[in-house]
Amino acid sequence: MGSNHSQVNLGRQLFFFALVLILFYCVAGLFAFPVADDLFFALIRAKGTWLEMSINEWSRWSGRYISNFIVIGSPLFLGGIALYKLMPMLLLFFMVFTVRSIFVAFKVQNVGLFAGGFILVFLGGMPDITEGFFWFTGAWIYMPGVFFFTVATALFLQYKYQINNRKGIVWFTAMALYIVAGGFNEIMPIWGLFFALFLFWKEKGGKASWFLLLFQLLILIIVFSAPGNRFRQDQFQENQLFFHSFGWSILYTFRFLLEWMLNPALWMWCFCLIQYSVSREKQPHPLFTNFWQMLILMIMPLFLAVFTPIWSTGIL
């Protein structure tokens, strides 16, 4: 009983410390300044209506049917530099909400320990924090999609393994969030198809796995069949070269894994999780019982996140 109480207190302290750290990031965001694509999208927004310019972006540059509307909306156009400086704060609090929702969806009892530790590791392990939160265009194209995708996956696993009694609501919410996540960038549909294939292989078929596989394939087709994708790819040299993309993706994957392994916050969190697991007698989630399968789930999404832009543009 005393051990559980101390673990709860530790979780609350980690989560509180993560929130304090995020406040510092919010203050730093007040010094953010628009660069590159931020200015470009503000100029595009000034040329026509929001809907017109967003559809034009889909037809001439990318199939991102959600993030196109966000970046074309442009905080610079709507509220000037003052609104632009508030966008990192909004994204950071969105991250806190979604990360907590992920662990709530996984039915984790000590949410503070998991969510707080995850946030600390995430903040400490980002390769480039300036692009990570404070560059509006890059941040809002890539980060929200990752969070939506992870929440959707947690809900789908609830449905798949019958963790939640409200199966219909959970299934519908998961599919809706997968659709939203897929519209942020090209990596999310690829992640979705990889996860669906992995689950299909692990479960040896099944109605839920079949449906998810076809559903994710449909999202991928919608995103990659947009006419703007071909036009964008034509603007880059040395793209769609398999061995070039594969080789650089291996190197970048190794680099990012090494950076994460050298992250002190990760080791601190692992120590807390080991203490937490020792004090509890609970079976792991069926998806995480096999070490090699778990390793594939950890490494392949990172590799695919690197391979996709290198294949498409020749650079990361």
Side-chain angles (χ1 to χ4, degrees):
M1 186 70 179
S3 175
N4 289 338
H5 182 70
S6 64
Q7 291 294 338
V8 171
N9 284 336
L10 177 61
R12 290 173 178 170
Q13 291 168 7
L14 268 179
F15 194 68
F16 175 77
F17 182 68
L19 291 178
V20 171
L21 185 61
I22 283 174
L23 290 177
F24 284 103
Y25 279 89
C26 291
V27 172
L30 298 177
F31 297 92
F33 197 81
V35 294
D37 292 351
D38 297 330
L39 303 172
F40 175 72
F41 284 119
L43 289 173
I44 288 181
R45 177 63 180 87
K47 293 180 179 179
T49 66
W50 179 43
L51 179 61
E52 177 190 0
M53 292 296 100
S54 298
I55 294 176
N56 183 60
E57 188 68 12
W58 176 83
S59 64
R60 72 169 191 85
W61 194 250
S62 75
R64 301 164 182 170
Y65 54 84
I66 297 293
S67 61
N68 279 345
F69 284 91
I70 296 175
V71 296
I72 293 295
S74 179
L76 279 176
F77 178 84
L78 293 175
I81 192 66
L83 180 59
Y84 183 91
K85 291 176 180 292
L86 293 178
M87 298 309 292
M89 183 185 304
L90 180 60
L91 182 59
L92 283 160
F93 283 112
F94 173 77
M95 178 190 71
V96 173
F97 173 77
T98 51
V99 167
R100 191 178 185 281
S101 299
I102 290 165
F103 290 107
V104 170
F106 271 121
K107 298 292 184 180
V108 172
Q109 293 184 358
N110 194 341
V111 173
L113 177 64
F114 285 83
F118 179 87
I119 291 171
L120 291 175
V121 172
F122 186 82
L123 293 176
M126 295 187 67
D128 191 336
I129 193 62
T130 56
E131 290 190 2
F133 285 106
F134 305 132
W135 176 35
F136 170 79
T137 302
W140 284 86
I141 286 177
Y142 290 101
M143 284 200 182
V146 173
F147 297 136
F148 278 123
F149 179 87
T150 311
V151 174
T153 300
L155 291 173
F156 180 82
L157 292 176
Q158 274 196 32
Y159 169 82
K160 175 71 176 174
Y161 295 104
Q162 300 181 350
I163 300 175
N164 195 308
N165 294 327
R166 301 176 178 178
K167 294 188 66 175
I169 297 175
V170 170
W171 177 88
F172 180 81
T173 305
M175 295 304 107
L177 290 177
Y178 273 134
I179 293 173
V180 173
F184 273 91
N185 58 75
E186 296 79 9
I187 296 172
M188 295 303 100
I190 292 177
W191 274 12
L193 186 60
F194 162 73
F195 175 71
L197 286 169
F198 176 87
L199 197 63
F200 185 86
W201 165 72
K202 178 178 172 58
E203 300 295 329
K204 297 178 174 58
K207 291 183 179 179
S209 299
W210 265 112
F211 180 85
L212 182 66
L213 181 60
L214 296 175
F215 189 79
Q216 297 291 0
L217 182 60
L218 178 61
I219 294 176
L220 184 140
I221 291 173
I222 291 173
V223 172
F224 280 87
S225 63
N229 288 320
R230 182 171 297 276
F231 177 82
R232 181 182 59 176
Q233 290 175 3
D234 291 341
Q235 309 308 306
F236 294 93
Q237 302 295 323
E238 298 184 356
N239 60 340
Q240 297 186 349
L241 301 174
F242 177 77
F243 290 107
H244 170 84
S245 304
F246 184 81
W248 278 105
S249 298
I250 291 290
L251 292 175
Y252 273 117
T253 300
F254 178 77
R255 170 198 161 185
F256 293 143
L257 283 174
L258 186 62
E259 289 181 353
W260 279 87
M261 290 175 63
L262 295 176
N263 181 2
L266 176 63
W267 294 102
M268 180 186 70
W269 190 36
C270 287
F271 177 75
C272 295
L273 292 179
I274 290 172
Q275 285 189 316
Y276 176 78
S277 62
V278 168
S279 65
R280 304 186 61 81
E281 297 180 359
K282 193 172 182 178
Q283 293 296 321
H285 193 281
L287 203 62
F288 307 122
T289 53
N290 184 289
F291 172 78
W292 296 108
Q293 292 178 3
M294 187 171 64
L295 198 63
I296 291 173
L297 281 177
M298 291 172 58
I299 295 178
M300 277 304 296
L302 176 58
F303 174 82
L304 292 172
V306 174
F307 182 86
T308 303
I310 295 179
W311 168 263
S312 178
T313 65
I315 56 176
L316 181 62

